């Protein structure tokens, strides 16, 4: 039984915007760079995000009824082999990220329930450490997610919508709170903006070389991540399929606006120099500390008592934790399904074992999801038990996926001119970009941005003498590419045997 999910344009815009926008990336950018983050975000938006959004919008407009996503876009304009390798690299990066997200679930959970992060505190029981407890809870979360996703896409869509509403409220509360501080503390605005521009003290990039500062470009580009995943939903958007490309571009403009408005209002409403002088603040607890301070400052601006202001601060903190928790849950539900769907269902019929493509009554590839959940659980178990080899392997795999995730984006941009040439001949009235020259410019801009970011990412650890990390960043894509190539060769040998031997189709597919 196939379920159809109906999206209104407003709901779809909110889901796309709140999925791509990252509240933690916005607060981190403010903390690390202050207003100096603007040039990097402007560069990332103009030369990477907006061009890439246009490219994705055009692909989704043409392939709106296909489930192959990224694989389908590349297979028709580069080659089937390149498309499979790119889809495999893309999937591997999400697989590793899921492990991390499942284990991060308990940070906002702890803050929501207890008002503080208890995941870093040691358990007094020597036989049941905090790490093991988090591991067991994370494995439980894996199978709860598996159960939830197996019930169909409608539940995933509902979780995206709910988390989008909560994130919208959080953004309005943070921007509105800072705007109130601008109005009530006018004498502090200019000093705060000056401190934000200087970006002095802890974790500042002042004193570093220009090349090292440009490594922040990587952060700015990754802050705009997730567009590829949400674009995979196009075939699930019902009546909005035709409008999806335009809604995608409109949502992209909203994402850019949220980042710039957020960094600017935080810079004027908060003394960044004073914030960085607080040694208890680090990137792990930053957004919670910022929202707690904002809540207290808003209370003072509204002439509340110290006790009432402290209560408001706790409300801001715990609401942030609730929003992040539900955002993690909806994100996990989405990436638990969409990447493996592209890899298993979107590739040709002779790929993979037929059982992996088998669907339940809710139109979900249940066996593929079960295999994925089991592998994720094994990794979490190894990490939580403290095996130094598994932990080391996971850390290296995380580094390996940093560049591996960027390469498919680069290949999509590379395929775009050939795609545009074909569309201008076949359907010239449906294109967003009216000429091949403009298409080439968009493609080149995205390719250069990603290449530049990859170069800085490799250079940064090398400049600090960390040769192993730089090598791991390079080895990762090569290793995943080799594995994808071997799988591709296996699939095609299996296809040739099936075609050349009568009566062997069932045998070879089951083998």
């Amino acid at each position: 039984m196939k379920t159809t999910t109906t999206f209104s344009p407003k709901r779809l815009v909110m889901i796309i915007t709140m999925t791509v926008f990252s509240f933690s990336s916005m607060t981190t950018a403010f903390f690390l760079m202050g207003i100096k983050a603007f040039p990097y975000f402007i560069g990332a938006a103009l030369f990477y995000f907006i061009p890439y959004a246009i490219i994705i919008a055009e692909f989704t407009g043409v392939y709106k009824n296909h489930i192959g996503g990224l694989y389908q876009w590349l297979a028709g304009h580069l080659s089937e082999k390149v498309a499979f390798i790119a889809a495999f690299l893309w999937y591997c990066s999400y697989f590793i990220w899921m492990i991390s997200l499942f284990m991060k679930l308990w940070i906002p959970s702890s803050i929501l329930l207890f008002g503080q992060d208890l995941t870093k505190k040691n358990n007094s029981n020597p036989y049941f450490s905090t790490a093991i407890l988090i591991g067991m809870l994370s494995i439980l979360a894996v199978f709860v997610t598996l159960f939830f996703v197996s019930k169909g896409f409608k539940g995933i869509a509902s979780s995206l919508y709910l988390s989008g509403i909560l994130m919208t409220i959080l953004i309005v509360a943070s921007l509105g709170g800072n705007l109130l501080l601008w109005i009530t503390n006018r004498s502090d605005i200019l000093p705060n903006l000056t401190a934000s521009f200087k970006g002095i003290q802890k974790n500042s990039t002042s004193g570093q070389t220009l090349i090292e500062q440009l490594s922040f470009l990587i952060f700015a580009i990754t802050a705009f991540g997730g567009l590829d995943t949400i674009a995979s939903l196009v075939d699930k958007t019902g009546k909005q399929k035709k409008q999806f490309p335009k809604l995608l571009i409109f949502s992209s403009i909203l994402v850019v606006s949220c980042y710039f408005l957020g960094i600017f209002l935080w810079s004027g409403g908060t003394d960044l120099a004073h914030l960085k002088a607080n040694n208890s603040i680090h990137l792990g607890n930053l957004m919670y500390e910022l929202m707690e301070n904002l809540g207290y400052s808003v209370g003072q601006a509204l002439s509340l008592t110290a006790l009432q202001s402290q209560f408001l601060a706790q409300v801001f903190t715990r609401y942030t934790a609730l929003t992040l928790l539900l955002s993690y849950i909806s994100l996990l539900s989405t990436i638990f399904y969409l990447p493996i769907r592209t890899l298993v269902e979107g590739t040709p019929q002779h790929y993979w074992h037929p059982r992996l493509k088998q669907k339940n009554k809710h139109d979900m590839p249940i066996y593929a999801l079960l295999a994925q959940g089991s592998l994720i659980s094994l990794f979490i178990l190894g990490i939580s038990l403290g095996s130094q080899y598994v932990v080391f392997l996971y850390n290296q795999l995380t580094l390996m996926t940093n560049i591996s995730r960027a390469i498919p984006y680069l290949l999509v941009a590379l395929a775009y001119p050939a795609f545009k040439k074909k569309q201008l001949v076949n359907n010239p009235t449906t294109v967003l970009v009216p000429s091949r020259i403009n298409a080439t410019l968009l493609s080149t801009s995205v390719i250069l941005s990603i290449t530049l970011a990859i170069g800085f990412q490799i250079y940064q650890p090398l400049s600090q003498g960390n040769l192993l990390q730089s090598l791991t960043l390079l080895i990762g894509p090569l290793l995943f590419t080799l594995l994808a190539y071997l799988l591709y060769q296996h699939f095609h040998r299996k296809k040739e045997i099936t075609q050349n031997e009568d009566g062997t189709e069932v045998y070879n597919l089951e083998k």
Side-chain angles (χ1 to χ4, degrees):
M1 180 183 70
K2 294 190 177 183
T3 55
T4 302
T5 303
T6 302
F7 293 94
S8 67
K10 290 182 181 178
R11 178 177 290 203
L12 197 53
V13 164
M14 189 190 68
I15 288 175
I16 296 171
T17 304
M18 293 302 107
T19 300
V20 177
F21 175 79
S22 169
F23 188 79
S24 61
S25 292
M26 184 261 287
T27 53
T28 300
F30 158 68
F31 184 68
L32 291 179
M33 297 285 282
I35 291 180
K36 281 187 176 181
F38 275 7
Y40 301 97
F41 273 81
I42 290 171
L46 291 180
F47 298 106
Y48 166 71
F49 184 59
I50 298 299
Y52 190 64
I54 294 171
I55 291 172
I56 294 293
E58 291 224 280
F59 274 116
T60 54
V62 172
Y63 293 101
K64 55 182 174 288
N65 296 314
H66 294 264
I67 64 173
L70 183 141
Y71 174 86
Q72 198 75 41
W73 305 341
L74 297 180
H77 305 285
L78 293 180
S79 72
E80 190 178 319
K81 182 189 295 184
V82 170
F84 178 74
I85 291 172
F88 188 81
L89 288 173
W90 183 69
Y91 174 76
C92 286
S93 66
Y94 276 111
F95 181 87
I96 301 300
W97 192 27
M98 276 190 281
I99 297 171
S100 174
L101 282 176
F102 275 116
M103 300 188 77
K104 281 182 180 178
L105 272 177
W106 311 108
I107 297 175
S109 301
S110 175
I111 293 172
L112 177 62
L113 295 174
F114 306 108
Q116 59 178 315
D117 180 12
L118 299 178
T119 63
K120 300 295 182 184
K121 295 190 175 182
N122 293 324
N123 193 330
S124 57
N125 189 336
Y127 302 104
F128 200 70
S129 66
T130 302
I132 292 176
L133 176 61
I134 291 172
M136 296 302 103
L137 289 172
S138 299
I139 290 172
L140 176 63
V142 171
F143 286 97
V144 169
T145 303
L146 171 62
F147 176 78
F148 176 71
V149 171
S150 70
K151 294 300 178 182
F153 181 74
K154 187 173 286 187
I156 298 174
S158 298
S159 69
L160 282 170
Y161 182 56
L162 178 60
S163 69
I165 291 174
L166 293 178
M167 183 59 73
T168 301
I169 295 172
L170 178 63
I171 293 170
V172 170
S174 66
L175 299 185
N178 277 297
L179 187 59
L180 177 65
L181 297 182
W182 275 60
I183 296 170
T184 56
N185 304 328
R186 295 178 185 176
S187 60
D188 294 333
I189 295 173
L190 187 58
N192 287 347
L193 290 174
T194 302
S196 177
F197 181 76
K198 289 180 179 179
I200 57 175
Q201 298 185 36
K202 186 178 69 172
N203 291 329
S204 171
T205 54
S206 299
Q208 294 182 345
T209 66
L210 177 62
I211 296 294
E212 289 170 329
Q213 287 195 43
L214 284 173
S215 63
F216 187 78
L217 178 63
I218 306 159
F219 176 85
I221 287 178
T222 55
F224 291 112
L227 204 59
D228 53 314
T229 308
I230 207 68
S232 300
L233 295 175
V234 63
D235 68 301
K236 298 282 190 180
T237 55
K239 296 178 181 179
Q240 306 306 326
K241 286 181 183 179
K242 290 183 179 180
Q243 291 192 60
F244 190 84
K246 292 181 181 178
L247 296 177
L248 195 66
I249 292 174
F250 181 70
S251 301
S252 301
I253 294 171
L254 287 180
V255 170
V256 174
S257 303
C258 285
Y259 276 124
F260 283 103
L261 193 59
I263 294 171
F264 184 65
L265 288 178
W266 275 107
S267 296
T270 305
D271 185 347
L272 185 59
H274 178 73
L275 192 70
K276 287 187 174 183
N278 186 346
N279 292 323
S280 66
I281 295 178
H282 51 79
L283 295 183
N285 66 3
L286 172 63
M287 55 189 159
Y288 304 110
E289 292 284 347
L290 278 174
M291 289 302 291
E292 183 177 6
N293 291 343
L294 178 63
Y296 189 85
S297 298
V298 167
Q300 294 292 293
L302 295 173
S303 301
L304 300 181
T305 65
L307 189 61
Q308 290 170 332
S309 296
Q310 190 59 46
F311 175 76
L312 187 60
Q314 277 293 303
V315 171
F316 271 49
T317 304
R318 299 202 187 205
Y319 181 78
T320 303
L322 173 64
T323 303
L324 266 292
L325 176 61
L326 289 179
S327 294
Y328 283 158
I329 291 171
S330 65
L331 178 60
L332 280 167
S333 300
T334 306
I335 64 177
F336 198 88
Y337 167 58
L338 289 176
I340 200 167
R341 172 188 185 234
T342 295
L343 188 66
V344 173
E345 293 187 61
T347 49
Q349 192 64 34
H350 63 276
Y351 287 19
W352 311 110
H353 192 285
R355 184 63 65 86
L356 290 177
K357 293 177 179 282
Q358 187 175 328
K359 297 182 181 181
N360 63 9
K361 64 180 182 179
H362 301 290
D363 198 37
M364 289 293 179
I366 186 63
Y367 292 106
L369 293 172
L370 181 61
Q372 175 180 259
S374 300
L375 285 173
I376 292 172
S377 298
L378 284 175
F379 266 94
I380 292 174
L381 183 63
I383 294 167
S384 61
L385 291 176
S387 169
Q388 58 179 340
Y389 301 108
V390 177
V391 173
F392 176 79
L393 175 63
Y394 174 72
N395 290 336
Q396 298 308 305
L397 283 172
T398 302
L399 288 173
M400 288 178 179
T401 58
N402 288 344
I403 293 177
S404 300
R405 189 176 180 186
I407 291 174
Y409 305 163
L410 191 149
L411 291 173
V412 168
L414 191 65
Y416 181 60
F419 163 83
K420 172 57 66 177
K421 180 181 178 181
K422 187 175 180 180
Q423 288 308 115
L424 286 171
V425 173
N426 297 336
N427 300 293
T429 60
T430 63
V431 297
L432 295 172
V433 180
S435 74
R436 288 174 60 187
I437 295 175
N438 290 337
T440 303
L441 288 174
L442 289 177
S443 173
T444 303
S445 179
V446 173
I447 290 170
L448 288 177
S449 298
I450 294 174
T451 304
L452 202 61
I454 289 173
F456 289 140
Q457 192 164 24
I458 294 171
Y459 173 79
Q460 189 178 25
L462 199 61
S463 67
Q464 298 170 352
N466 195 338
L467 181 61
L468 177 61
Q469 187 171 332
S470 290
L471 286 174
T472 303
L473 288 168
L474 288 170
I475 291 170
L478 296 175
L479 182 64
F480 293 136
T481 298
L482 176 61
L483 185 55
Y485 175 77
L486 292 175
L487 279 171
Y488 177 83
Q489 292 295 99
H490 167 70
F491 294 145
H492 277 261
R493 280 197 301 269
K494 183 172 68 174
K495 182 182 178 182
E496 289 172 5
I497 294 172
T498 303
Q499 290 175 342
N500 294 334
E501 295 184 18
D502 293 334
T504 59
E505 183 171 358
V506 174
Y507 168 77
N508 282 288
L509 288 175
E510 293 293 336
K511 189 174 180 179

